[in-house]
Amino acid sequence: MNKNSSDIMALAPNTPNKRETVCIFGTGDFGRALGHKLIQSGYPVVYGSRSTQISNLIPKDAEVLGHAEAAQKAAIIIIAIQRQHYNFLTPLAEVLRGKVLVDISNNLKLNQYPESNAEYLAQLLPGSKVVKSFNTVSAWALQSGTLDASRQVFVCGDDVEAKQMVMNIVRALGLTPLDKGSLLAAQEIENYPLQLFPMWKFPIFLSLGLAAFFFLYCVALDIVYTYIYENNNFSFFIAITIPNRVCPVVALILLALVYLPGIFAAIIQLYRGTKYRRFPDWLDKWMLCRKQLGLIALAFASLHVVFTLVTPLRAFASWRTSKRIISQALNNKTEPLDHTNAWLSDSYLALGILGYFLFVLLGITSLPSVSNNVNWREFRFVQSKLGYLALIFCTAHTLVYGGKWFLSPSAYKWYLPNIYILSLIVPCAVLVVKFVLIFPCVDKPLTRIRQGWERNPKYSE
Amino acid sequence: MNKNSSDIMALAPNTPNKRETVCIFGTGDFGRALGHKLIQSGYPVVYGSRSTQISNLIPKDAEVLGHAEAAQKAAIIIIAIQRQHYNFLTPLAEVLRGKVLVDISNNLKLNQYPESNAEYLAQLLPGSKVVKSFNTVSAWALQSGTLDASRQVFVCGDDVEAKQMVMNIVRALGLTPLDKGSLLAAQEIENYPLQLFPMWKFPIFLSLGLAAFFFLYCVALDIVYTYIYENNNFSFFIAITIPNRVCPVVALILLALVYLPGIFAAIIQLYRGTKYRRFPDWLDKWMLCRKQLGLIALAFASLHVVFTLVTPLRAFASWRTSKRIISQALNNKTEPLDHTNAWLSDSYLALGILGYFLFVLLGITSLPSVSNNVNWREFRFVQSKLGYLALIFCTAHTLVYGGKWFLSPSAYKWYLPNIYILSLIVPCAVLVVKFVLIFPCVDKPLTRIRQGWERNPKYSE
Amino acid sequence: MNKNSSDIMALAPNTPNKRETVCIFGTGDFGRALGHKLIQSGYPVVYGSRSTQISNLIPKDAEVLGHAEAAQKAAIIIIAIQRQHYNFLTPLAEVLRGKVLVDISNNLKLNQYPESNAEYLAQLLPGSKVVKSFNTVSAWALQSGTLDASRQVFVCGDDVEAKQMVMNIVRALGLTPLDKGSLLAAQEIENYPLQLFPMWKFPIFLSLGLAAFFFLYCVALDIVYTYIYENNNFSFFIAITIPNRVCPVVALILLALVYLPGIFAAIIQLYRGTKYRRFPDWLDKWMLCRKQLGLIALAFASLHVVFTLVTPLRAFASWRTSKRIISQALNNKTEPLDHTNAWLSDSYLALGILGYFLFVLLGITSLPSVSNNVNWREFRFVQSKLGYLALIFCTAHTLVYGGKWFLSPSAYKWYLPNIYILSLIVPCAVLVVKFVLIFPCVDKPLTRIRQGWERNPKYSE
């Protein structure tokens, strides 16, 4: 029996807006979860199953019939079975003719099959209207009602009306349909839930690698060296002092790496004299992960800011201050204000604050909802102009702060350069080349190339 | 006379894109505001009114006619009258047949009537195409042009073409239509503008309750006790010292409360041996407000961070430092660096920074535009893995910081435990049970249950 | 020859989902970039060109024909030529009858022509279905694949089916179409890419002007005056001390300026006794840039917070602390804790923290994705109630901090008031008038006016 126990139907028992019956093929986990949810939303549900004996697991208000009878009761059939069993549907082709088939399947691996499951289904049953949907929704979330994550449900298909019917169901379940166009998009939609931050992998590994290298470098120079040659145990530097040296260095290098591929692209275009040849693959990939590099750089910069601001709260800092003041007091003298030092300390703090401020602005404009509200001209202004300004401020901040170490010979423990020197190589190189690139004699041909002009048309043949 | 004085029409006087006439029933506040705006956007507007004498309040370029004549002039009629007067429309049923009726009404209370106003209208006039829309827009905002808040206008209705016509008008007014499906969604749309953060109420009351309790607890132990037994007046602790004790405690407890319902759910599922029975109501509700609990916890944690960072700027801190240093100086000795202390102080600061960093990451992924751009796998990774890591770091931060108080008997003023001990109960319980749950012998059956397996199928009968 | 070399087509060579042929008129930069991208996405592309000799620049897999032959091969024709050459299309009117013409053109200036390019095209070829689209996409971004910015592509047109066809192409290119309604929206869409933060210009200039004024004011009073009369060189104050005085002052004034227009509006409505007359233009414009003013105020407030928090790290602060402690030590005395001072310092810090906290909350709710998820009642609650609370806290913070300067005569260097006094004028005025406005005897008539009541109906005649 098909009883509608939902609240909505109870409230409007005689309205003509009765929901159309939905058929679900397959009584697996997702089929049952979706059925429960559909019944809650006021849809009569019919299951198509090999064994029509009523299982305990199937929602009480649903009917269970054989596949053919179930399919006849509904205009929409949700195919909640796995791709490898799709061929059992071919004998049902006549019953399914003209019906809307909703493919909700997922694969276990990216691009597991040559064509998407939905396209395969459409090939098997050319008389039916196949719509891909629901594959990004988790059965567990449907069941528990905790749809905290994205409520967006991708929908694609070749038949506009069939898509509309599926999108209405999606909306009735409290989700937001997103039309992704024709069934060709099914491949992309099927790959989507298998991804785990694919764009973030390389930037994260790179930054963790850099961080690990600089961490060990600092441990060697600041803890091991000091312990061996000065017999001081500064092992507690591992907690704050060294992270606070590693974070700014990694942040600065990553920020420079955001702008380096643009420099390479400009040089390649100038050398080739055309923009109509593809960049090498590594450069293309690098350019596509600039946003991620920038955001990781911002994370490291933020850690640096907090690590720096807690300095006065550290027992070590408090002990060092006491020691300095007491030694002055015991010598009965007060040192006058060192103006050079005051200038230097205030300058690098101010430069760092301004650089970080611009950096945070860049991060905010990277939020999808913000970047969707700016046009290209505005986006380019923020990301390029403000981005370079942030890089200049941050590089200057490091130069002013680390400057004193460059010349002092005592800084070269074990003849190794200080990490400030290492951190400045890439940013300074980027800024110098960029400075050359904005000279009119270089900028003009580059602009012309980017507008479509070609020096040697032979390249594009 | 029907003159179109809008800018847009002036620019394109002879284009065939002339806007269709819109009829408005009712000359109340919203009807007038909408009419003004429609005329500004180039629509000819006809008002349907009982008294056809031209009122001063009605926009100058609009016509005013009787209801029947006005309705005949337009294909779209906006019903700007209250639900209790809808029955006067029944005599007009013939005139309104086939027309698009836009129900813009709102109620004064949630679920005031058994069916939504739009569905009621559709029952009264079954020959017309009823579309629900515009009820979330404020007349004042339409009038003043200050549509700062959401420009989204929900639209629902059973007739696709009628919906399209209304959505075109919405777009022409500079707003964004959002199709919510069939007329069944009208109830939800009518309830929407009456809500005031419904999901936030319980989390906010809970956290304010917790904060008030711990505040009074601290006032008693830190100010009253000290005043009575040590005769010290530390009343100024109310401004910063005590808030900075209450905030981290509330933040930590709330963060643990985010993960506690998941623990309960796992235990219930293990005990029942099935996932096909609903959780108790309190658990369902608790799970649905985890995001809000987490964000409030983040707010308290952020206040704790800022309160901590301003410590060196406080007159009290500066006085305490002076006192300590001067007493050392007067004793003519400098204390050596206490390495244990340096380690402890740096560890809890570093743990706190990392915990807060992860916490902020969680907060950023809760932004709607960010969580719409991640899939389920990614969302679960961030919210579950990174979330537990944040809880571990924050609990460790509190343990290292508060550890010294556990054993010292002087900490038990009036035989009451220190608030650090109170704050650690819930987080430690959550972490211990979670630790048990990830043991393979517990995790395996749980995973099977969540994939649909049942130990005792009788439960689901 | 028309070969489809794309990956997608390779994967599904025999599917019926073959993409329809797209014709592009014009072989300029954007035409070529779009052609490349279309071919990559599996569309057969035909170029319509005056000279049909195959150019090197045109994608290899595309055909090049005369305009008429090319147009006959496709149902969609993308017009990638400039507006001034549109009239050459008139002889092709017969061939183009019933076809979908996609106008992708942009202008060089806002509102360059009386009607939009797309409407002009529709007037020239009344038999064709003109759709405006793609004008917000950059050729360079299409080419390089680095569509970091908005993936939204605006689409408008009078023919629903034609729009659907264009939106499908947009989706196939990996972009998100956004239906902006009828062709009347083309003007707005054409103006969109020419804008550079139009709403931000006035607020930014205003705040930079204020900041420059207060900076010079502080340089005069704090550096020049001190140098002349006290012979102290505090030039390094330029880096941190003075910015940290200017930022809070500008932030507070801007925050007050956010609420001032609402005050003016209320007074004007009370005076006029009606809400049905437009506000003066300057007030309308001011009200529309309140969000921008508020966000810039938040930026200045954030800078103030960071500048304040780095204080203990400055060489100057460290020198001042040493000096104070040593002078106490040399006098062999420890000063007792000054309770008034402890109260004052803790209060203004706590007030500032709470004010800033509310301010950040306001900023977060201004994010488009957040404000789209709240209804009017919620938005007004946050922006009005919490906003005024933030203003009260920030004003109180300044009053408590700057209070001591008001009465001390030494504060009036060169008989000029301290900047704290200047900064408090606007916020205090706003708060006082707002306080008057919430009195029932003023609030009641105002509420009635805002609900549509009129004191003197003559005004609206």
Side-chain angles (χ1 to χ4, degrees):
Chain A
M1 278 295 297
N2 193 354
K3 279 185 244 157
N4 296 313
S5 59
S6 86
D7 292 351
I8 288 169
M9 295 308 285
L11 287 171
N14 301 315
T15 48
N17 302 313
K18 224 167 170 169
R19 309 255 196 208
E20 70 274 20
T21 302
V22 173
C23 169
I24 300 175
F25 274 14
T27 54
D29 201 38
F30 195 84
R32 293 191 303 248
L34 194 57
H36 267 294
K37 192 81 189 168
L38 282 168
I39 289 173
Q40 274 174 27
S41 308
Y43 285 94
V45 169
V46 176
Y47 279 95
S49 172
R50 259 159 305 182
S51 70
T52 58
Q53 69 175 74
I54 290 168
S55 154
N56 301 322
L57 305 176
I58 284 178
K60 286 200 200 84
D61 299 314
E63 244 180 319
V64 183
L65 300 169
H67 286 108
E69 299 90 66
Q72 272 160 352
K73 289 219 166 188
I76 296 187
I77 294 136
I78 293 169
I79 310 293
I81 53 182
Q82 286 172 308
R83 178 195 171 113
Q84 48 266 43
H85 305 309
Y86 278 7
N87 42 18
F88 102 94
L89 292 169
T90 12
L92 297 167
E94 257 331 290
V95 184
L96 298 177
R97 179 167 305 280
K99 305 261 179 189
V100 178
L101 305 188
V102 187
D103 184 304
I104 62 165
S105 62
N106 271 321
N107 295 324
L108 297 173
K109 279 186 288 182
L110 290 173
N111 299 315
Q112 198 173 358
Y113 299 99
E115 77 285 79
S116 68
N117 300 351
E119 286 168 298
Y120 174 63
L121 183 64
Q123 283 170 38
L124 285 178
L125 300 163
S128 308
K129 301 164 191 162
V130 174
V131 174
K132 178 87 208 177
S133 192
F134 283 113
N135 68 313
T136 55
V137 180
S138 112
W140 159 252
L142 262 184
Q143 190 89 25
S144 62
T146 55
L147 289 157
D148 296 319
S150 173
R151 294 174 167 273
Q152 285 187 337
V153 175
F154 299 128
V155 180
C156 80
D158 290 330
D159 188 280
V160 175
E161 247 177 84
K163 248 191 321 196
Q164 273 302 331
M165 287 166 74
V166 176
M167 284 163 81
N168 280 336
I169 294 179
V170 171
R171 282 189 202 104
L173 301 187
L175 302 164
T176 312
L178 196 72
D179 189 343
K180 296 289 274 184
S182 76
L183 206 59
L184 276 171
Q187 184 97 23
E188 189 200 327
I189 296 181
E190 286 174 13
N191 282 338
Y192 182 76
L194 296 168
Q195 296 169 343
L196 187 63
F197 298 114
M199 301 299 295
W200 287 87
K201 257 171 208 156
F202 173 69
I204 285 178
F205 285 135
L206 176 71
S207 52
L208 289 184
L210 277 174
F213 168 74
F214 283 115
F215 188 82
L216 295 176
Y217 198 91
C218 281
V219 167
L221 290 194
D222 291 329
I223 299 182
V224 178
Y225 184 94
T226 318
Y227 189 72
I228 296 175
Y229 292 91
E230 301 172 12
N231 208 17
N232 269 326
N233 178 6
F234 282 146
S235 61
F236 65 89
F237 274 17
I238 285 175
I240 292 193
T241 309
I242 290 180
N244 199 21
R245 253 173 234 177
V246 172
C247 284
V249 166
V250 175
L252 186 60
I253 292 178
L254 289 178
L255 182 59
L257 290 181
V258 169
Y259 292 98
L260 192 52
I263 301 275
F264 280 141
I267 292 172
I268 289 177
Q269 287 179 334
L270 274 173
Y271 172 75
R272 289 179 176 168
T274 176
K275 70 166 195 183
Y276 290 106
R277 280 182 65 202
R278 281 197 80 75
F279 293 127
D281 244 26
W282 56 268
L283 190 54
D284 263 353
K285 277 185 194 150
W286 191 351
M287 288 182 113
L288 285 171
C289 68
R290 285 182 295 180
K291 180 179 162 180
Q292 284 75 16
L293 281 172
L295 288 175
I296 295 174
L298 179 56
F300 275 98
S302 302
L303 280 175
H304 167 52
V305 168
V306 184
F307 273 124
T308 304
L309 289 177
V310 298
T311 304
L313 304 171
R314 294 172 61 195
F316 174 64
S318 144
W319 168 79
R320 206 171 44 182
T321 308
S322 303
K323 201 178 138 194
R324 184 174 48 77
I325 295 177
I326 290 168
S327 79
Q328 283 183 40
L330 295 182
N331 292 330
N332 257 352
K333 61 161 188 183
T334 44
E335 281 174 9
L337 176 62
D338 177 349
H339 275 80
T340 319
N341 209 20
W343 256 112
L344 278 179
S345 114
D346 279 14
S347 319
Y348 81 74
L349 287 171
L351 285 168
I353 290 169
L354 290 177
Y356 182 66
F357 175 75
L358 291 175
F359 210 162
V360 170
L361 263 192
L362 290 178
I364 291 172
T365 54
S366 297
L367 284 173
S369 70
V370 176
S371 65
N372 268 337
N373 278 296
V374 298
N375 63 32
W376 258 98
R377 212 182 141 203
E378 293 164 348
F379 186 78
R380 237 168 3 203
F381 175 80
V382 171
Q383 296 291 330
S384 167
K385 298 271 163 62
L386 292 193
Y388 265 107
L389 206 58
L391 183 59
I392 291 170
F393 277 131
C394 292
T395 310
H397 165 71
T398 315
L399 269 170
V400 174
Y401 178 68
K404 51 189 169 186
W405 274 288
F406 286 135
L407 301 172
S408 125
S410 76
Y412 296 88
K413 300 171 181 169
W414 282 333
Y415 306 104
L416 287 171
N418 194 291
I419 60 163
Y420 299 107
I421 300 173
L422 295 182
S423 77
L424 282 165
I425 297 170
V426 190
C428 288
V430 167
L431 289 178
V432 167
V433 180
K434 179 71 186 176
F435 184 68
V436 173
L437 285 174
I438 56 173
F439 269 94
C441 59
V442 185
D443 186 48
K444 261 188 198 161
L446 187 60
T447 307
R448 280 171 69 201
I449 287 169
R450 289 193 171 162
Q451 285 167 348
W453 173 83
E454 291 202 303
R455 191 173 55 226
N456 286 324
K458 72 176 158 86
Y459 271 117
S460 57
E461 275 171 76
Chain B
M1 279 294 295
N2 193 356
K3 277 185 246 159
N4 297 314
S5 59
S6 84
D7 291 352
I8 290 168
M9 295 308 283
L11 287 172
N14 301 316
T15 47
N17 301 313
K18 223 166 171 169
R19 309 256 196 207
E20 70 274 21
T21 302
V22 173
C23 169
I24 300 175
F25 274 15
T27 55
D29 200 37
F30 195 84
R32 294 191 304 248
L34 193 57
H36 267 293
K37 191 81 190 168
L38 281 166
I39 289 172
Q40 273 174 27
S41 308
Y43 285 96
V45 169
V46 176
Y47 279 95
S49 172
R50 258 159 307 183
S51 71
T52 58
Q53 69 176 70
I54 290 169
S55 154
N56 302 323
L57 305 176
I58 285 178
K60 286 200 201 86
D61 299 313
E63 244 179 320
V64 183
L65 300 170
H67 286 107
E69 300 89 66
Q72 272 161 350
K73 289 219 164 188
I76 295 186
I77 294 135
I78 293 168
I79 310 293
I81 53 182
Q82 287 171 308
R83 179 195 170 112
Q84 49 266 42
H85 304 308
Y86 277 7
N87 44 17
F88 103 93
L89 291 169
T90 12
L92 296 168
E94 258 333 289
V95 185
L96 299 178
R97 180 168 304 278
K99 305 260 180 189
V100 178
L101 305 188
V102 187
D103 184 306
I104 62 166
S105 62
N106 270 322
N107 295 323
L108 296 173
K109 279 185 288 181
L110 288 173
N111 298 315
Q112 198 174 358
Y113 298 99
E115 77 286 79
S116 68
N117 300 351
E119 286 168 299
Y120 174 63
L121 183 64
Q123 284 170 37
L124 285 179
L125 300 163
S128 307
K129 301 165 192 162
V130 174
V131 174
K132 178 85 207 178
S133 191
F134 284 112
N135 68 312
T136 55
V137 181
S138 112
W140 159 250
L142 262 184
Q143 192 88 27
S144 62
T146 54
L147 288 157
D148 296 320
S150 172
R151 294 175 167 271
Q152 285 187 337
V153 175
F154 299 128
V155 179
C156 80
D158 290 329
D159 188 279
V160 175
E161 247 176 86
K163 249 193 316 198
Q164 274 303 332
M165 286 166 74
V166 175
M167 285 163 80
N168 280 336
I169 293 179
V170 172
R171 283 190 201 103
L173 300 187
L175 302 163
T176 312
L178 196 72
D179 188 344
K180 297 289 274 184
S182 76
L183 206 60
L184 276 171
Q187 185 96 22
E188 188 200 327
I189 297 181
E190 286 175 13
N191 282 338
Y192 183 76
L194 295 168
Q195 296 168 344
L196 187 62
F197 297 114
M199 301 299 296
W200 288 87
K201 258 174 204 151
F202 174 70
I204 284 176
F205 285 134
L206 176 71
S207 52
L208 289 184
L210 277 174
F213 168 74
F214 284 115
F215 189 81
L216 295 175
Y217 198 92
C218 283
V219 167
L221 291 195
D222 291 329
I223 299 182
V224 178
Y225 184 95
T226 320
Y227 189 72
I228 295 175
Y229 292 90
E230 302 171 12
N231 208 18
N232 268 328
N233 178 6
F234 283 145
S235 62
F236 65 89
F237 275 16
I238 285 175
I240 292 192
T241 309
I242 290 180
N244 198 22
R245 255 173 232 176
V246 172
C247 284
V249 166
V250 175
L252 187 61
I253 292 178
L254 289 179
L255 183 59
L257 289 181
V258 169
Y259 291 98
L260 193 52
I263 301 275
F264 280 141
I267 292 172
I268 288 176
Q269 287 179 334
L270 274 173
Y271 172 75
R272 288 179 177 168
T274 176
K275 71 167 195 183
Y276 289 107
R277 280 182 66 202
R278 280 198 80 76
F279 293 128
D281 244 28
W282 56 267
L283 190 55
D284 263 353
K285 277 187 192 147
W286 191 350
M287 288 183 112
L288 286 171
C289 69
R290 285 183 295 181
K291 179 178 162 180
Q292 285 75 16
L293 281 172
L295 288 175
I296 294 174
L298 179 57
F300 276 98
S302 303
L303 280 176
H304 167 52
V305 168
V306 184
F307 273 124
T308 304
L309 289 177
V310 297
T311 304
L313 304 172
R314 295 171 62 194
F316 174 63
S318 143
W319 168 80
R320 207 171 41 182
T321 309
S322 304
K323 202 178 138 195
R324 184 174 48 76
I325 294 177
I326 290 168
S327 78
Q328 284 183 40
L330 295 182
N331 291 331
N332 257 354
K333 60 161 188 182
T334 44
E335 282 173 9
L337 177 61
D338 177 348
H339 275 78
T340 320
N341 210 20
W343 255 113
L344 278 178
S345 112
D346 279 14
S347 320
Y348 82 72
L349 288 171
L351 284 168
I353 291 170
L354 289 178
Y356 182 66
F357 175 75
L358 290 175
F359 210 162
V360 170
L361 263 192
L362 290 178
I364 292 173
T365 54
S366 297
L367 284 173
S369 70
V370 177
S371 65
N372 268 337
N373 279 296
V374 298
N375 64 32
W376 258 98
R377 212 181 142 204
E378 294 164 349
F379 186 78
R380 235 164 10 199
F381 175 80
V382 172
Q383 296 291 331
S384 168
K385 298 272 163 61
L386 291 193
Y388 265 107
L389 206 58
L391 182 59
I392 290 170
F393 276 132
C394 291
T395 310
H397 165 70
T398 316
L399 269 170
V400 174
Y401 178 69
K404 51 189 169 187
W405 274 289
F406 287 134
L407 302 172
S408 125
S410 75
Y412 295 88
K413 300 172 182 168
W414 283 332
Y415 304 103
L416 287 172
N418 194 291
I419 59 164
Y420 298 108
I421 300 174
L422 294 182
S423 76
L424 282 165
I425 297 170
V426 190
C428 287
V430 168
L431 289 178
V432 166
V433 181
K434 180 72 185 175
F435 184 69
V436 172
L437 285 174
I438 56 173
F439 270 93
C441 58
V442 185
D443 186 47
K444 262 188 197 161
L446 187 61
T447 307
R448 281 171 70 200
I449 288 168
R450 289 193 172 161
Q451 284 167 350
W453 174 82
E454 291 202 304
R455 191 173 55 223
N456 286 323
K458 72 177 159 85
Y459 271 117
S460 57
E461 278 172 75
Chain C
M1 279 293 296
N2 193 354
K3 278 186 245 159
N4 295 314
S5 60
S6 85
D7 291 352
I8 289 169
M9 294 308 284
L11 287 172
N14 301 316
T15 48
N17 302 314
K18 225 169 168 165
R19 309 255 197 208
E20 70 275 19
T21 302
V22 174
C23 168
I24 300 174
F25 274 14
T27 54
D29 201 37
F30 195 84
R32 292 191 303 247
L34 194 57
H36 267 293
K37 192 80 191 170
L38 281 167
I39 288 171
Q40 273 175 27
S41 307
Y43 285 94
V45 169
V46 176
Y47 279 94
S49 173
R50 259 158 307 183
S51 71
T52 57
Q53 69 176 72
I54 290 169
S55 153
N56 302 323
L57 305 176
I58 285 178
K60 285 199 201 87
D61 299 314
E63 246 181 319
V64 183
L65 301 169
H67 286 108
E69 299 91 64
Q72 272 160 350
K73 289 220 165 188
I76 295 187
I77 294 136
I78 293 168
I79 310 293
I81 54 181
Q82 287 173 306
R83 178 194 171 113
Q84 48 268 42
H85 305 307
Y86 278 7
N87 43 17
F88 102 94
L89 292 168
T90 12
L92 296 167
E94 258 332 290
V95 184
L96 298 178
R97 179 168 304 279
K99 305 259 180 189
V100 178
L101 304 188
V102 187
D103 184 304
I104 61 166
S105 62
N106 271 321
N107 294 324
L108 297 173
K109 280 186 288 181
L110 289 173
N111 299 316
Q112 198 173 358
Y113 298 99
E115 78 285 81
S116 68
N117 300 352
E119 286 168 299
Y120 173 63
L121 183 64
Q123 284 169 37
L124 285 179
L125 299 163
S128 308
K129 301 163 191 164
V130 174
V131 173
K132 178 86 207 177
S133 193
F134 283 113
N135 68 312
T136 55
V137 181
S138 111
W140 159 250
L142 262 184
Q143 191 88 26
S144 62
T146 55
L147 288 157
D148 296 320
S150 173
R151 294 174 166 274
Q152 286 187 337
V153 174
F154 298 127
V155 180
C156 80
D158 289 331
D159 187 280
V160 175
E161 248 176 85
K163 248 192 317 197
Q164 274 302 331
M165 287 166 74
V166 175
M167 284 163 81
N168 280 336
I169 293 179
V170 171
R171 283 190 201 103
L173 301 187
L175 303 163
T176 312
L178 196 72
D179 188 344
K180 297 288 274 183
S182 76
L183 207 60
L184 276 170
Q187 185 97 23
E188 189 199 328
I189 297 180
E190 286 175 12
N191 282 339
Y192 183 75
L194 294 168
Q195 296 169 343
L196 187 63
F197 298 113
M199 301 300 296
W200 288 86
K201 256 171 207 154
F202 173 70
I204 284 177
F205 285 135
L206 176 71
S207 52
L208 289 184
L210 278 174
F213 168 74
F214 284 115
F215 189 82
L216 294 176
Y217 198 91
C218 282
V219 167
L221 290 195
D222 291 329
I223 299 182
V224 178
Y225 185 94
T226 319
Y227 189 73
I228 295 175
Y229 292 91
E230 303 171 11
N231 208 17
N232 270 327
N233 178 7
F234 283 145
S235 61
F236 65 90
F237 275 16
I238 286 175
I240 292 193
T241 309
I242 291 180
N244 198 22
R245 254 173 233 175
V246 172
C247 284
V249 166
V250 175
L252 186 61
I253 293 178
L254 289 179
L255 183 59
L257 290 181
V258 169
Y259 292 98
L260 193 51
I263 301 275
F264 279 142
I267 293 173
I268 289 177
Q269 287 179 334
L270 275 173
Y271 172 76
R272 287 179 178 167
T274 177
K275 70 166 195 183
Y276 290 106
R277 282 183 64 202
R278 281 197 80 75
F279 292 127
D281 244 27
W282 56 268
L283 190 55
D284 263 353
K285 276 185 195 149
W286 191 350
M287 288 183 112
L288 286 171
C289 68
R290 285 183 294 181
K291 179 180 163 181
Q292 284 74 17
L293 281 172
L295 288 175
I296 295 174
L298 180 56
F300 275 98
S302 303
L303 280 175
H304 167 51
V305 169
V306 184
F307 274 124
T308 304
L309 290 177
V310 298
T311 304
L313 304 171
R314 296 172 61 195
F316 174 64
S318 145
W319 168 80
R320 207 171 40 182
T321 308
S322 303
K323 202 178 138 195
R324 185 174 47 77
I325 295 178
I326 290 168
S327 80
Q328 283 184 40
L330 295 182
N331 291 329
N332 258 352
K333 61 160 189 184
T334 44
E335 281 174 9
L337 176 61
D338 176 349
H339 275 78
T340 319
N341 210 20
W343 256 113
L344 278 179
S345 113
D346 278 15
S347 321
Y348 81 73
L349 287 171
L351 284 168
I353 291 170
L354 289 178
Y356 182 66
F357 174 75
L358 290 175
F359 210 162
V360 169
L361 264 192
L362 290 177
I364 291 173
T365 54
S366 297
L367 284 173
S369 70
V370 177
S371 65
N372 268 337
N373 277 296
V374 298
N375 64 32
W376 258 98
R377 212 183 142 203
E378 294 164 349
F379 186 78
R380 234 164 9 200
F381 175 81
V382 172
Q383 296 291 330
S384 168
K385 298 272 162 61
L386 291 193
Y388 264 107
L389 206 58
L391 183 59
I392 290 171
F393 276 132
C394 292
T395 310
H397 165 71
T398 316
L399 269 169
V400 175
Y401 178 69
K404 52 189 169 189
W405 274 289
F406 286 135
L407 302 171
S408 124
S410 76
Y412 296 88
K413 299 172 182 168
W414 283 332
Y415 306 103
L416 286 172
N418 193 290
I419 60 163
Y420 299 107
I421 300 172
L422 294 182
S423 75
L424 282 165
I425 297 169
V426 190
C428 288
V430 168
L431 289 178
V432 166
V433 181
K434 180 70 186 177
F435 183 70
V436 171
L437 285 175
I438 56 173
F439 269 94
C441 58
V442 185
D443 186 47
K444 262 188 196 162
L446 187 60
T447 307
R448 280 171 69 202
I449 287 169
R450 288 190 172 165
Q451 284 167 348
W453 174 83
E454 290 203 304
R455 192 173 54 224
N456 286 323
K458 71 177 159 84
Y459 271 117
S460 56
E461 276 171 78

